[in-house]
């Protein structure tokens, strides 16, 4: 990779993610793609440099990275190994969610984040499920109350680093008490808890090294003391939830910005050496090829500026509810901008970019995964459209909008 050039848009996070560590991680990216598993040496290196404590406040023995600094670090990691970056982004998002919860509630959740920092624990995030439509505020897994906790059976998929992490953060549904609305419980469990197992069935086109396997819960009991958040199912008028969605939307977008920069680096190298014989010039020096990348690059720079600006506003104390549409807009733009940018580079490089073992082919495949992270594009599009019209908006897909109609009538 060579020495990282610090962008004017991002803080220098070289102390959090040294250049030599990035170079080592980049060296394992192709191996991870080929094997369909994260490179063990890269994971070990992240632990060695204290990556699990990145976004944990220094008061709790963490590295104290802000959201903007976390995005900057994830951008650099996305340049080195996008699949590893998107996998550990689930850890970053979970830490961000937990810290935001603690800041608003000042409860015993600080014990959890301090333990993660001091014990260098890696957290997997098991919020995705089949048949949810990308919702983060519901679960198809219904927990049954038992003495001391909640018993639950079901599957979480895809769950990045399910087999490699020390802890897993997950949400499950619980019946409401005395006729109240169903609840969603968010808890953190050790991955060696009784009733938890992993089925290694991840075999995707791209992001192959993210190890996004299936987490199976078989009569798994979640102790009451490990439930750190509870809210009505589908409820979104909550600062903690909004802050968590903002953390995920921005840090995930930063990963894909790093991927795009890596594709640009690879494209520069190819275009600078590929010659058009009858013009006696490299493609990089021809106006037609230069112009072909102009608009996609402008879109990428706009996305990068938006991501950094919204992260900075969150760090400055903006209201998460009011900032949420902007953060979701950043993520929604990434869904189009990054794949289009990588495709434009690949097209400019011609058949050389289509080689199965080539870096550009791998990055093109990895870029397609940006379409599938919740909140999904369909749900986000609906939310942003309703926000634009000034009507109540929800990240739950709601084709007939009965819940929104009831809000409007109140």
């Amino acid at each position: 990779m060579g020495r990282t050039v610090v962008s004017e848009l991002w803080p220098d996070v070289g102390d959090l993610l040294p250049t030599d560590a990035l170079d080592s991680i980049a060296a394992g990216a192709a191996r991870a793609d080929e094997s369909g598993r994260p490179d063990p040496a890269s994971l070990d290196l992240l632990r060695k440099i204290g990556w699990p404590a990145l976004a944990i406040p220094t008061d709790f023995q963490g590295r104290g990275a802000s959201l903007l600094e976390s995005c900057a670090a994830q951008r650099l990691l996305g340049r080195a190994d996008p699949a590893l970056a998107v996998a550990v982004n689930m850890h970053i998002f979970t830490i961000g969610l937990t810290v935001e919860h603690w800041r608003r509630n000042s409860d015993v959740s600080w014990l959890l984040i301090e333990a993660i920092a001091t014990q260098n624990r890696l957290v997997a995030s098991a919020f995705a499920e089949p048949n949810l439509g990308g919702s983060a505020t519901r679960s198809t897994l219904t927990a049954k109350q038992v003495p001391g906790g909640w018993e639950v059976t079901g599957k979480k998929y895809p769950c990045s680093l399910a087999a490699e992490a020390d802890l897993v953060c997950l949400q499950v549904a619980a019946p409401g008490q005395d006729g109240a609305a169903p609840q969603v419980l968010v808890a953190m469990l050790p991955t060696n808890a009784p009733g938890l197992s992993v089925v290694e069935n991840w075999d995707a086109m791209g992001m192959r090294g993210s190890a996004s396997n299936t987490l199976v819960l078989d009569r798994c009991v979640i102790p009451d003391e490990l439930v750190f958040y509870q809210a009505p199912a589908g409820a979104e008028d909550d600062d903690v939830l909004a802050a968590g969605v903002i953390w995920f939307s921005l840090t995930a977008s930063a990963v894909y910005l790093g991927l795009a920069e890596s594709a640009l680096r690879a494209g520069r190298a190819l275009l600078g050496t590929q010659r058009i014989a009858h013009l006696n010039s490299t493609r990089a020096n021809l106006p037609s090829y230069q112009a072909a990348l102009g608009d996609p690059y402008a879109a990428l720079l706009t996305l990068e500026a938006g991501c950094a600006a919204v992260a900075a506003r969150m760090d400055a104390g903006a209201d998460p509810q009011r900032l949420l549409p902007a953060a979701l807009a950043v993520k929604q733009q990434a869904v189009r901008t990054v794949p289009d940018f990588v495709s434009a580079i690949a097209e400019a490089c011609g058949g050389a970019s289509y080689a199965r073992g080539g870096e550009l082919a791998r990055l093109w495949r990895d870029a397609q995964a940006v379409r599938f992270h919740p909140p999904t594009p369909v749900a986000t599009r609906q939310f942003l459209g309703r926000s634009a019209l000034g009507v109540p908006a929800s990240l739950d897909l709601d084709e007939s909008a009965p819940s929104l109609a009831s809000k409007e009538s109140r």
Side-chain angles (χ1 to χ4, degrees):
M1 287 181 62
R3 176 162 293 279
T4 298
V5 177
V6 178
S7 166
E8 292 298 323
L9 293 172
W10 302 103
D12 185 351
V13 291
D15 57 329
L16 300 172
L17 192 55
T19 300
D20 56 351
L22 285 168
D23 290 341
S24 297
I25 289 168
R31 292 194 300 271
D33 179 73
E34 186 66 27
S35 68
R37 298 169 175 270
D39 185 56
S42 295
L43 274 176
D44 289 345
L45 181 55
L46 285 180
R47 290 184 188 271
K48 183 178 179 181
I49 64 174
W51 184 261
L54 177 77
I56 294 176
T58 54
D59 288 348
F60 305 124
Q61 312 305 312
R63 309 289 300 280
S66 64
L67 175 54
L68 180 61
E69 289 169 329
S70 296
C71 287
Q74 283 295 85
R75 165 181 161 265
L76 295 182
L77 191 57
R79 287 182 60 172
D81 185 343
L84 181 64
V86 84
V88 299
N89 197 67
M90 308 311 166
H91 171 94
I92 297 292
F93 145 71
T94 301
I95 296 301
L97 173 67
T98 311
V99 170
E100 296 289 350
H101 169 83
W102 175 81
R103 285 174 176 159
R104 287 162 177 79
N105 295 279
S106 298
D107 58 12
V108 295
S109 59
W110 70 269
L111 292 168
L112 182 59
I113 53 180
E114 185 175 75
I116 291 170
T118 57
Q119 299 171 28
N120 215 18
R121 301 298 189 189
L122 194 61
V123 183
S125 177
F127 281 76
E129 299 173 21
N131 306 317
L132 269 187
S135 173
T137 61
R138 297 185 184 274
S139 175
T140 62
L141 280 63
T142 301
K144 178 178 68 174
Q145 194 161 20
V146 296
W150 300 85
E151 182 182 282
V152 60
T153 294
K155 294 180 180 180
K156 294 282 191 171
Y157 177 83
C159 180
S160 299
L161 300 183
E164 290 79 12
D166 306 294
L167 301 164
V168 61
C169 184
L170 72 167
Q171 94 284 26
V172 296
Q177 300 295 319
D178 300 323
Q183 299 288 299
V184 166
L185 313 178
V186 180
M188 208 171 295
L189 279 172
T191 50
N192 61 358
L196 276 186
S197 62
V198 176
V199 177
E200 296 191 7
N201 55 354
W202 181 245
D203 190 19
M205 176 178 72
M207 292 296 183
R208 289 175 46 76
S210 67
S212 299
N213 291 303
T214 298
L215 184 73
V216 178
L217 296 88
D218 183 10
R219 301 186 65 182
C220 178
V221 174
I222 302 173
D224 284 328
E225 61 268 23
L226 296 184
V227 175
F228 67 90
Y229 177 79
Q230 184 170 342
E236 295 177 353
D237 52 349
D238 181 292
D239 280 357
V240 174
L241 175 65
V245 174
I246 290 169
W247 267 81
F248 179 79
S249 296
L250 299 181
T251 54
S253 296
V255 168
Y256 286 94
L257 284 168
L259 183 158
E261 291 182 26
S262 194
L264 178 58
R265 175 189 49 76
R268 281 175 180 157
L270 278 174
L271 294 169
T273 57
Q274 292 174 321
R275 301 192 68 80
I276 304 295
H278 69 282
L279 297 176
N280 192 29
S281 176
T282 64
R283 296 189 185 194
N285 285 326
L286 293 173
S288 54
Y289 285 93
Q290 296 163 357
L293 296 181
D295 285 342
Y297 189 50
L300 186 75
L301 291 176
T302 303
L303 173 65
E304 186 173 14
C307 185
V310 178
R313 288 297 302 139
M314 183 68 175
D315 288 337
D319 179 355
Q321 295 285 342
R322 298 179 64 180
L323 196 61
L324 181 59
L328 287 170
V330 168
K331 181 177 176 294
Q332 192 76 346
Q333 289 290 43
V335 168
R336 292 185 178 182
T337 299
V338 173
D340 286 353
F341 181 73
V342 179
S343 293
I345 292 173
E347 183 176 331
C349 292
S353 68
Y354 200 58
R356 184 178 180 277
E359 184 179 13
L360 271 177
R362 169 169 59 83
L363 293 170
W364 184 91
R365 287 187 284 106
D366 284 350
Q368 308 313 309
V370 72
R371 309 174 193 274
F372 307 115
H373 299 292
T376 55
V378 172
T380 302
R381 187 178 301 118
Q382 185 182 78
F383 178 94
L384 291 172
R386 288 175 172 168
S387 297
L389 294 171
V391 300
S394 168
L395 282 169
D396 268 348
L397 281 176
D398 191 353
E399 296 298 320
S400 60
S403 63
L404 299 181
S406 67
K407 289 180 182 179
E408 288 180 320
S409 66
R410 289 201 292 267

